[in-house]
Amino acid sequence: MKFRIGPNGVHLFDRLSGLNVLLEELRPKETAWSMSPRQISIALTNVCDLHCRYCYAPKHKASLHADQVLGWLKELDAEGCLGIGFGGGEPTLHPDFVDICKRVAGETQLAVTFTTHGHRLTPQLVERLKGSIHFARISVDGVGHTYEEQRGKQFASLLRGIELIATLSPFGINVVVNEQTVAELDAMGELAQRVGASELLLLPQQETAAVASMGGVVGRALQDWASNYRGKVRLAVSEAGASGLPTCDPLPDERGLQAYAHIDASGMLRTNSYSSVGVKIGGAGVLSALKLIRETPSGSNERRNHEDLERIRV
Ligand code: SF4
């Protein structure tokens, strides 16, 4: 088990089972706290073959080099980071995606996860990834026609992707919640249970150049749905959209950059993928960039996280 020290105690984590244990009785002093965020997400590439209107990934071409990524992750691993989430763009479009996952799983103690739209998964790709992925996330915004409208891809192709991901590792389903998908949350919950997903992650739609953020009417419908949810699949919500939902947070004092940071495909460290506050990771490494961003007044406090998740109490 890996351990991490923070303001709420000593946190033990097993990446194979996903078990978390918090020893609250132990409160080491601040100088002993882990320097790394608990979780980090990395956009391996901005490239994607879909064109979702609510996509927040930058549209200029950029990709990270495998050796760069490994170097940063080894630094963070040694300083108490527990997990890496690869995204993009579409991470499977990075030419070294499999190699990066294998190396991170083999050379660090980090839990390796990735988020995919699912349409590029093949039996061969899944076979090559086996043993290097601890959790996977697949984006499913609505069912049937709604999904096809949202993502511009056939729902039948997505279902094939879900079948494949289920053979790779434990997995979760991500859903962007907006006017169209909110009416299908029951169907999403049933789908998640039927296909063996272990989590349904709700991502209230955030503003982009093409769409507005989730409005009040949709927000209230989401709150009602979550309050009445009796499904078997665990619910989670992005921190950015958690307001008004009955969440539980076992690490209430581990906030902002202690909890989470994002590295974009241009090698900028950010408080989250939406943030305008960023520091280029230079030759001094990622911990040095982290120190710089902590010293930036808005950097240390920004909490509008898309990727830092809250569990919903049901
Ligand atoms: S699949 Fe993801 S990365 Fe690609 S366009 Fe859609 S939201 Fe953006």
Side-chain angles (χ1 to χ4, degrees), residues 77-90:
D77 183 41
E79 284 299 335
C81 187
L82 298 181
I84 164 65
F86 290 124
E90 169 58 37

Side-chain angles (χ1 to χ4, degrees), residues 35-194:
M35 307 237 294
S36 165
R38 186 171 72 245
Q39 298 286 336
I40 191 106
S41 68
I42 297 185
L44 290 177
T45 177
N46 285 343
V47 176
C48 185
D49 47 352
L50 268 58
H51 306 281
C52 312
R53 282 163 48 78
Y54 38 72
C55 180
Y56 56 85
K59 298 302 169 223
H60 62 274
K61 276 196 176 167
S63 289
L64 294 170
H65 193 277
D67 290 337
Q68 263 181 324
V69 173
L70 258 290
W72 298 334
L73 290 178
K74 283 181 180 177
E75 263 190 88
L76 293 165
D77 183 41
E79 284 299 335
C81 187
L82 298 181
I84 164 65
F86 290 124
E90 169 58 37
T92 62
L93 279 165
H94 190 290
D96 299 323
F97 176 63
V98 174
D99 182 49
I100 292 171
C101 293
K102 279 185 191 299
R103 287 179 64 190
V104 176
E107 298 173 33
T108 76
Q109 290 183 287
L110 297 169
V112 181
T113 71
F114 74 107
T115 300
T116 178
H117 59 46
H119 295 282
R120 291 180 41 79
L121 295 174
T122 61
Q124 294 77 14
L125 176 59
V126 166
E127 204 52 44
R128 290 171 65 211
L129 284 169
K130 273 186 185 164
S132 306
I133 300 294
H134 301 97
F135 195 84
R137 296 186 179 280
I138 188 163
S139 303
V140 186
D141 303 332
V143 295
H145 186 57
T146 304
Y147 173 84
E148 293 176 352
E149 270 188 357
Q150 299 286 306
R151 293 262 165 182
K153 282 282 186 183
Q154 287 193 345
F155 191 60
S157 162
L158 172 77
L159 291 177
R160 286 194 290 276
I162 295 177
E163 266 180 40
L164 283 170
I165 220 164
T167 66
L168 172 62
S169 66
F171 73 102
I173 283 179
N174 290 4
V175 53
V176 174
V177 183
N178 58 26
E179 275 180 13
Q180 285 72 41
T181 60
V182 73
E184 302 201 338
L185 288 172
D186 278 336
M188 304 284 308
E190 283 162 23
L191 174 71
Q193 190 170 329
R194 192 169 71 244

Side-chain angles (χ1 to χ4, degrees), residues 153-271:
K153 282 282 186 183
Q154 287 193 345
F155 191 60
S157 162
L158 172 77
L159 291 177
R160 286 194 290 276
I162 295 177
E163 266 180 40
L164 283 170
I165 220 164
T167 66
L168 172 62
S169 66
F171 73 102
I173 283 179
N174 290 4
V175 53
V176 174
V177 183
N178 58 26
E179 275 180 13
Q180 285 72 41
T181 60
V182 73
E184 302 201 338
L185 288 172
D186 278 336
M188 304 284 308
E190 283 162 23
L191 174 71
Q193 190 170 329
R194 192 169 71 244
V195 297
S198 47
E199 185 175 270
L200 183 60
L201 171 59
L202 307 166
L203 301 169
Q205 181 169 287
Q206 304 293 309
E207 185 181 350
T208 67
V211 298
S213 56
M214 180 185 77
V217 174
V218 177
R220 282 189 289 283
L222 173 60
Q223 284 171 20
D224 285 349
W225 181 82
S227 305
N228 293 315
Y229 177 74
R230 295 291 175 268
K232 292 197 166 55
V233 179
R234 178 179 75 217
L235 291 186
V237 62
S238 58
E239 188 180 318
S243 174
L245 290 171
T247 56
C248 50
D249 184 357
L251 300 163
D253 301 323
E254 203 166 85
R255 312 303 314 174
L257 285 164
Q258 280 182 313
Y260 169 81
H262 175 74
I263 298 174
D264 72 19
S266 302
M268 298 284 286
L269 180 74
R270 300 185 184 279
T271 51

